Amino acid sequence: MDTHIFNIHDVVLFMTMIECVLLALFQWALPVTTKRLASALLIGFLLITGIQSLCILVLWNDAVHISTFFDLHIVPYLLTFAVLAKGPALFFYVLSLTQHSFVLKRKYLTHLAPVAAAWLCLVFFAIDSDDLRWRSATATATSQQVVNYLWHATKAVPFMYGIAAVFVIHRYYSKLKEQYSSIPSSEPSWLSVLTIGFSLSWAFSIFVHIGAQFLSAELSDWLGISENYLIFILINGLFTYSLAYAHNVQTTKAEEVTKAPTEDRPDESAIRKVKSGMEEQQLFLEHNLNIEEFSTRIDLPVRDVSGVINKHFGTNFFEFMNSYRVDEAKRLLADPASKDMTILDILLQAGFNSKSAFHRFFKRLVGMSPSEYRKQALQATKAA
């Protein structure tokens, strides 16, 4: 009666598996939103992670059995699928959240090529769970080498997709600044933190895999086990993010739609229209204005607006709009008639909708805080 089937580390794997299934069901049961594909990809990523946890549990815990055939012959296929498909699942989830009208295309099936290659190796060399654990009495030198290559691939492939996802988010930040005048900091930053977190966990897995050749068996086991805890934490973070922020994430248009023209010098009439929109219509005062709305209001194609802002003014739409908002805030702060307005009132009236963004921009462009600027400006006015 003193025999334990699970230790605390196996409990974490079991909890991860169960939680992934429950979270996937919960995500599926949520009301339909505009980001259906993102929701479906998140469900897929959760289920893939759950399958991976199940397979690791069955593979390495001798006390856990489903059936002899399943444990010995099915687990290798499920495990290689889960480990090699989790990277593409996260990558496409990030794409579906950040890109406007993103759709899955048939050509994307090529991202499952590593899974197909791994399965061919499993079939051709008749590799089973004992081979994966290096416990087979009939293993040949060739099959052992293939197993080594399979483990190398299962560590390297997810990490490469993690890096690709981080790169997508980096480009996403740049595109947001080309297309939006206000960017909520919490939404993309959370996505960035989680994506980097998964990438680092997969990098850590590579480190443990390589380090196992030089470290003691006990230390290698502890390092490998710690990855399971990290994945458990990241899965919870990813689901929490999807509930709190994913439905509000700003998407970006395709680069072809907003890319500035290739001419060196923008047309003078286009420059006048952009200036008119800012100086006469004062469109920068409108909260959450994006480049498409701005182009419509000044009757100028988006590409031409981008060309004027990028090449004539040497900046992006985000910086361009907020520089005008800072100038308006400076005017209000220096105006004795506005001395009873709070800083919050002023930043909202100037077109900002984020206190942190306002203070960041103001200090960077003016060199002091809004309160300091107001104090100096009003003192100078009084002295005059």
Side-chain angles (χ1 to χ4, degrees), residues 37-237:
L37 180 57
S39 179
L41 288 168
L42 176 60
I43 290 172
F45 181 75
L46 290 169
L47 292 177
I48 286 170
T49 304
I51 291 171
Q52 178 185 340
S53 298
L54 171 64
C55 292
I56 292 174
L57 192 61
V58 173
L59 186 66
W60 298 109
N61 190 326
D62 294 330
V64 178
H65 298 288
I66 296 178
S67 73
T68 302
F69 181 79
F70 182 90
D71 298 349
L72 195 61
H73 300 290
I74 302 301
V75 164
Y77 291 89
L78 287 178
L79 180 60
T80 51
F81 165 76
V83 177
L84 295 174
K86 66 184 180 183
L90 180 66
F91 176 73
F92 285 115
Y93 174 65
V94 171
L95 284 177
S96 66
L97 274 182
T98 58
Q99 292 187 5
H100 183 75
S101 301
F102 175 79
V103 293
L104 289 176
K105 300 176 183 178
R106 188 174 298 178
K107 66 180 182 180
Y108 294 157
L109 289 174
T110 56
H111 290 271
L112 294 177
V115 177
W119 282 9
L120 285 174
C121 290
L122 293 176
V123 172
F124 187 80
F125 294 98
I127 294 171
D128 57 24
S129 294
D130 286 341
D131 291 310
L132 291 180
R133 297 185 299 176
W134 295 287
R135 296 182 183 177
S136 176
T138 59
T140 64
T142 301
S143 66
Q144 288 179 333
Q145 191 65 36
V146 170
V147 167
N148 285 330
Y149 286 138
L150 285 174
W151 281 119
H152 295 337
T154 59
K155 304 301 179 182
V157 170
F159 175 68
M160 290 189 291
Y161 275 98
I163 295 299
V166 171
F167 177 72
V168 166
I169 292 177
H170 176 73
R171 290 193 62 195
Y172 168 64
Y173 273 106
S174 299
K175 289 183 179 180
L176 281 178
K177 291 184 177 182
E178 293 289 343
Q179 300 176 27
Y180 291 92
S181 64
S182 299
I183 303 172
S185 59
S186 59
E187 297 168 14
S189 63
W190 264 106
L191 181 60
S192 179
V193 167
L194 287 168
T195 305
I196 292 173
F198 278 107
S199 299
L200 289 177
S201 73
W202 296 337
F204 181 71
S205 183
I206 294 176
F207 168 76
V208 174
H209 180 65
I210 296 174
Q213 303 176 45
F214 310 101
L215 303 174
S216 65
E218 183 178 0
L219 180 57
S220 296
D221 288 342
W222 272 100
L223 290 174
I225 288 167
S226 64
E227 182 188 359
N228 298 332
Y229 288 82
L230 182 58
I231 293 297
F232 179 76
I233 294 170
L234 288 170
I235 285 294
N236 282 275

